Amino acid sequence: MMTGLRTTVLLLGLLAPLSHGELSQSNHLSVLAGSVFSIDDYGAVATENSVEAATANAAALTAALEVAHSAGRGSVLVPSGSVYYTLPFSGSSHVGVSLIVDGVVKACNSNDCQDAWPCTKESHFDYLFEWDNGTDLTLAGHGTIDGQGYKWWWQFLLNKIPGDRKRPGLVYMTSGTGLNVANITLRNSPIMHMHFDNITDDEDPPFMQLAPSELAGIQKWAEEETAAGAIPMLPFNTDGIDPGVGAKDVFIKNLTAENFDDVIAVKPCNGDCAGMSMLCTENIVVENSKIFLGVGLSIGSVNPKDPTNCIKDIVFQGASFK
């Protein structure tokens, strides 16, 4: 089973019209004008689906992100034409860093990789990619980040997730100011594909921008698994985009999705929100969406926890369902 979501424009930031010229500045070609650091130069191993290669690739991605930050507005490149299997990787407190995925990044799905998958929180496997406390960040490229969720979906159905933990998501972004996501495909996440929360800024325009995008994050019956003789499997809880507590001033436009769960799920906090600077999910517009099979565009979706049970000013318009 596959997962896929496409958007031509996804903007998180001030809800005001942007000109074509402003949008064109957000493509990954302009991002690559700065210093570029290929993960191949930091020990990345292409093609090999093993815990050793996945460990090396996670280290290469993390190291290259740090170097790009130190260099000042640098870009990390996952080269086209190659597939890199990886364990979770992350970045924190980066400024002006871009991760450009032109190749394919896949979650390692061997038994050894699952045994080695980190759990920073005891109840939850880490996301494949986590980026927090950053400023002016970009996730872009014409490649794919693939969570290889098929095995996880079966384990969830059979109640065999190791340690009875929550499955890993694909991309988690939190506590950032100025974020752009452009022309990237996210697919096959074990659980939700993109989740962001606690994003705040005192500046104008506000905190976060996801601009001209080919974002994929919703599931589709898989050609790969079925071609290999595997049984098609429902990918439980694999939401597309989840704006969580503290998401504010969000504009998502021209979204195309095919899935069996929420395409977009706007959520309040439903857990421990201690330390989060913004406790309301608000001022979100989703416009011109084309949705196939998915359960739709959702507001609420989880049980809120006082005193953070705040969602307001959410608009869905121009959506079509097939």
Side-chain angles (χ1 to χ4, degrees), residues 148 165 182 196 219 232 274:
Q148 298 214 98
R165 301 180 177 98
F196 52 86
Q219 53 273 17

Side-chain angles (χ1 to χ4, degrees), residues 25-266:
Q25 293 305 308
S26 298
N27 65 45
H28 87 286
L29 294 176
S30 62
V31 169
L32 284 171
S35 301
V36 180
F37 304 92
S38 172
I39 62 171
D40 287 347
D41 296 329
Y42 294 88
V45 179
T47 309
E48 184 179 335
N49 186 13
S50 68
V51 68
E52 292 80 13
T55 300
N57 290 336
L61 284 156
T62 300
L65 287 167
E66 287 297 323
V67 171
H69 167 67
S70 298
R73 302 198 170 277
S75 297
V76 174
L77 178 65
V78 177
S80 63
S82 296
V83 177
Y84 301 87
Y85 293 87
T86 187
L87 285 164
F89 61 99
S90 62
S92 182
S93 302
H94 293 157
V95 177
V97 174
S98 302
L99 174 59
I100 309 301
V101 180
D102 280 341
V104 177
V105 174
K106 285 192 174 185
C108 180
N109 62 353
S110 69
N111 289 336
D112 288 344
C113 280
Q114 192 172 66
D115 291 342
W117 204 282
C119 299
T120 304
K121 295 182 179 179
E122 181 60 28
S123 62
H124 198 309
F125 285 99
D126 288 3
Y127 281 75
L128 185 65
F129 177 40
E130 299 189 18
W131 222 350
D132 70 88
N133 291 305
T135 301
D136 194 15
L137 305 177
T138 295
L139 173 62
H142 295 299
T144 299
I145 301 177
D146 188 333
Q148 298 214 98
Y150 181 82
K151 180 178 181 179
W152 294 93
W153 305 330
W154 270 110
Q155 288 181 326
F156 174 78
L157 178 66
L158 299 175
N159 198 26
K160 291 186 176 181
I161 297 290
D164 196 31
R165 301 180 177 98
K166 288 184 67 176
R167 290 162 282 161
L170 206 55
V171 176
Y172 179 47
M173 301 176 178
T174 184
S175 304
T177 61
L179 174 66
N180 172 60
V181 176
N183 305 318
I184 187 113
T185 296
L186 308 180
R187 62 188 286 190
N188 292 336
S189 183
I191 197 166
M192 66 188 69
H193 286 74
M194 176 174 284
H195 179 205
F196 52 86
D197 59 24
N198 193 33
I199 299 171
T200 181
D201 191 35
D202 295 328
E203 298 180 4
D204 187 22
F207 65 88
M208 186 173 171
Q209 170 174 283
L210 276 74
S213 301
E214 285 289 329
L215 241 175
I218 313 297
Q219 53 273 17
K220 179 181 180 182
W221 293 108
E223 294 91 359
E224 294 166 353
E225 286 86 0
T226 54
I231 301 171
M233 179 60 193
L234 185 72
F236 302 96
N237 311 115
T238 47
D239 295 359
I241 304 171
D242 284 10
V245 59
K248 182 181 178 183
D249 303 317
V250 177
F251 181 31
I252 300 172
K253 185 178 181 182
N254 297 341
L255 172 72
T256 300
E258 181 173 352
N259 78 311
F260 299 91
D261 212 311
D262 297 320
V263 176
I264 295 173
V266 181

